[in-house]
Amino acid sequence: MAEYKLRDGRVLTLRQARGTDAAACLDYLRCVGGESDYLLVGPGGLRDVTEAQEAELLEARFDSAEGRMYLGFVGEELVCIASVETRRHARLSHNATMGLSVRRRFWGLGIGSVCMELLIRFCRAHGGVRSLRLEVYADNERAIRLYKKFGFSVEGCRKRYLCVNGVYHDELLMCLML
């Protein structure tokens, strides 16, 4: 568990997710899915995942050698989820992928930067990870700025890859070489 002071003076507490966090995570995903079209989940969150399934997934990821899922709290409120996972296949195991989301009313407080530092630190400590990769909507300028700030570069673009409310969006593939 680690604590970070945010730009507004509040404290962000980051810790690894446990199975007991399943309900909070599913509620969080329902909330953020309705706040931004830049996520893979919509307003309904993960509709096909039960609390028991989520608990099993979270517990399996706890202290896994392949990755981490971190939850960020301001007080008792879950305000962000950040995850990183390495590839299991031997020929791909030097690659990791990441995901990050923050509740809208907590944007601009430095939470994204704190999470990026944590995920990159995990990858560097992992030993075998040589690249950290992510996918992002091509028009999500705020996220792209964050990723570029940490040294990510665009490696490619999937045209019309994502569809939200009948509108197609390009997806950028970004990478940080470690």
Side-chain angles (χ1 to χ4, degrees):
M1 184 171 356
E3 292 186 341
Y4 303 88
K5 189 171 184 178
L6 299 175
R7 290 185 184 129
D8 67 354
R10 290 184 284 182
V11 174
L12 172 70
T13 303
L14 278 170
R15 64 168 175 78
Q16 288 186 61
R18 296 300 305 245
T20 54
D21 296 312
C25 287
L26 292 173
D27 287 344
Y28 169 86
L29 291 172
R30 280 189 287 276
C31 176
V32 297
E35 292 180 339
S36 172
D37 287 337
Y38 290 130
L39 301 173
L40 293 180
V41 296
L46 298 175
R47 294 184 181 148
D48 297 335
V49 178
T50 67
E51 187 175 328
Q53 291 168 325
E54 183 72 1
E56 186 176 322
L57 172 84
L58 293 176
E59 200 58 38
R61 288 183 100 175
F62 185 79
D63 276 341
S64 164
E66 285 90 27
R68 294 284 187 276
M69 179 176 284
Y70 298 101
L71 306 181
F73 295 87
V74 172
E76 298 296 315
E77 184 177 5
L78 178 57
V79 301
C80 69
I81 295 179
S83 64
V84 61
E85 189 169 356
T86 60
R87 303 295 304 261
R88 294 179 188 209
H89 299 290
R91 293 181 179 184
L92 299 174
S93 63
H94 61 285
N95 297 293
T97 57
M98 58 151 287
L100 171 62
S101 63
V102 178
R103 284 190 194 258
R104 180 180 291 272
R105 73 176 194 279
F106 291 89
W107 290 1
L109 298 178
I111 293 172
S113 292
V114 167
C115 290
M116 291 300 297
E117 290 170 3
L118 184 63
L119 298 177
I120 292 168
R121 190 167 47 245
F122 172 83
C123 288
R124 288 195 168 126
H126 190 276
V129 176
R130 299 290 176 258
S131 67
L132 179 56
R133 299 174 186 279
L134 60 87
E135 297 88 28
V136 61
Y137 283 70
D139 58 344
N140 188 347
E141 296 172 7
R142 181 185 203 105
I144 293 167
R145 260 193 323 274
L146 173 69
Y147 303 141
K148 285 184 174 182
K149 173 179 141 181
F150 282 91
F152 281 79
S153 60
V154 175
E155 288 194 321
C157 179
R158 294 177 175 151
K159 297 290 186 184
R160 297 173 48 93
Y161 188 73
L162 303 152
C163 184
V164 178
N165 300 321
V167 177
Y168 291 91
H169 300 266
D170 295 347
E171 179 181 69
L172 297 181
L173 309 174
M174 298 185 75
C175 178
L176 172 66
M177 300 306 292
L178 301 171

